[in-house]
């Protein structure tokens, strides 16, 4: 009732606007509410589980950013587990939260499938590359009693695969983000979202920079290329489209 009256207070009819504002003020006084509290009642939160393959910090944060930009929301990562997060919290106008979580779920499933397929392909390439270097590894470590060569080869394959897959997925998500038309958030909505976020203990997450080798750069470019040919969730009015596939 108060929200409707507040909306009517902006009516082009001066008498109607004055009456609506007066009634809204009386209701707020009666219920001990402030204008900020009334506006904040439109803001809420929805939580979504981050799928296990996507809990790595860089991937989960990028997923959250894509959805937040498309729906005019903000987000927080929660339930830290190792180097990643189990839960994402979307914050913003209540009428956009359900759709945002739905699209997040669809995008997450697709991303998990893409990662699974990419992991197999990349692992095969990495294994072939490591096996090519096996003679050099034997010359270097073959006489070292403290080096288990089979274990070293296995670790190299796993480590290089994990790193290249991470870069591939970063590229794929970058391509998906290019399809997003950023939602134009009104200033008052942005203020209320920030006010709501103040309820949480927010910690800044910083990414560490490091040298990127040619194989990782190549994996990133492949991810971008394949992402551009992948599903489109974000076309149309105000950056939101519920058509899931092109």
């Amino acid at each position: 009732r108060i929200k409707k009256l507040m909306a009517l207070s902006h009516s082009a009819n001066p008498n109607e606007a004055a009456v609506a504002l007066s009634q809204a003020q009386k209701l707020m006084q009666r219920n001990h509410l402030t204008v900020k509290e009334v506006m904040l009642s439109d803001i809420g939160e929805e939580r979504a589980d981050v799928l296990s393959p996507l809990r790595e910090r860089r991937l989960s944060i990028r997923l959250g950013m894509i959805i937040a930009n498309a729906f005019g929301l903000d987000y927080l990562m929660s339930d830290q587990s190792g180097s990643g997060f189990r839960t994402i919290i979307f914050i913003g106008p209540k009428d956009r939260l359900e759709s945002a979580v739905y699209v997040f779920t669809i995008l997450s499933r697709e991303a998990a499938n893409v990662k699974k397929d990419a992991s197999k392909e990349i692992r095969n390439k990495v294994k072939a590359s490591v096996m090519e270097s096996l003679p050099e590894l034997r010359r270097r470590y073959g006489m070292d009693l403290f080096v288990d060569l089979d274990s070293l080869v296995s670790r190299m394959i796993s480590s290089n695969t994990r790193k290249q897959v991470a870069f591939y997925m970063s590229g794929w998500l970058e391509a998906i983000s290019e399809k997003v038309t950023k939602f134009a958030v009104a200033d008052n909505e942005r203020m209320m979202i920030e006010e709501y976020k103040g309820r949480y203990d927010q910690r800044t997450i910083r990414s560490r920079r490091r040298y990127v080798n040619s194989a990782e750069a190549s994996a990133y470019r492949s991810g971008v290329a394949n992402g551009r040919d992948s599903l489109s969730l974000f076309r149309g009015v105000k950056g939101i489209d519920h058509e899931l596939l092109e």
Side-chain angles (χ1 to χ4, degrees), residues 59-233:
L59 298 184
S60 58
I61 289 174
R62 190 59 186 230
L63 276 168
M65 187 180 300
I66 290 171
I67 300 300
N69 285 341
F71 289 88
L73 307 173
D74 209 332
Y75 69 100
L76 296 170
M77 306 308 301
S78 181
D79 299 331
Q80 188 164 358
S81 175
S83 61
F85 300 93
R86 294 177 179 272
T87 306
I88 185 167
I89 307 170
F90 290 106
I91 297 172
K94 294 175 181 177
D95 60 353
R96 301 202 293 268
L97 288 171
E98 185 177 354
S99 296
V101 170
Y102 173 72
V103 175
F104 173 80
T105 301
I106 298 296
L107 180 58
S108 294
R109 290 173 184 167
E110 179 68 10
N113 287 332
V114 167
K115 184 178 180 182
K116 181 180 179 181
D117 293 340
S119 296
K120 293 177 183 177
E121 183 178 344
I122 290 172
R123 184 176 182 83
N124 288 336
K125 290 180 180 179
V126 169
K127 185 176 181 180
S129 176
V130 171
M131 295 312 290
E132 284 181 9
S133 68
L134 193 55
E136 173 61 28
L137 292 173
R138 285 199 177 111
R139 282 193 296 271
R140 186 181 302 178
Y141 299 109
M143 301 301 293
D144 191 333
L145 298 178
F146 295 99
V147 175
D148 182 338
L149 195 57
D150 290 339
S151 178
L152 175 63
V153 167
S154 179
R155 289 198 305 273
M156 287 176 65
I157 292 172
S158 295
S159 176
N160 290 342
T161 298
R162 184 178 65 254
K163 291 173 184 176
Q164 289 184 36
V165 169
F167 275 94
Y168 179 95
M169 291 306 300
S170 291
W172 189 83
L173 289 171
E174 175 64 26
I176 296 299
S177 71
E178 292 173 358
K179 302 181 181 188
V180 175
T181 302
K182 197 169 183 179
F183 195 102
V185 182
D187 289 342
N188 63 319
E189 277 189 352
R190 196 180 305 280
M191 289 173 58
M192 290 302 102
I193 290 172
E194 286 300 318
E195 183 79 18
Y196 190 102
K197 280 177 63 181
R199 303 176 181 183
Y200 287 93
D201 175 24
Q202 300 170 51
R203 299 176 184 177
T204 302
I205 300 171
R206 294 184 174 87
S207 298
R208 292 179 292 179
R209 294 188 178 185
R210 68 175 187 84
Y211 172 76
V212 178
N213 63 39
S214 60
E216 292 167 346
S218 177
Y220 178 87
R221 289 193 294 270
S222 294
V224 170
N226 290 341
R228 286 173 178 161
D229 293 332
S230 190
L231 85 172
S232 178
L233 300 173

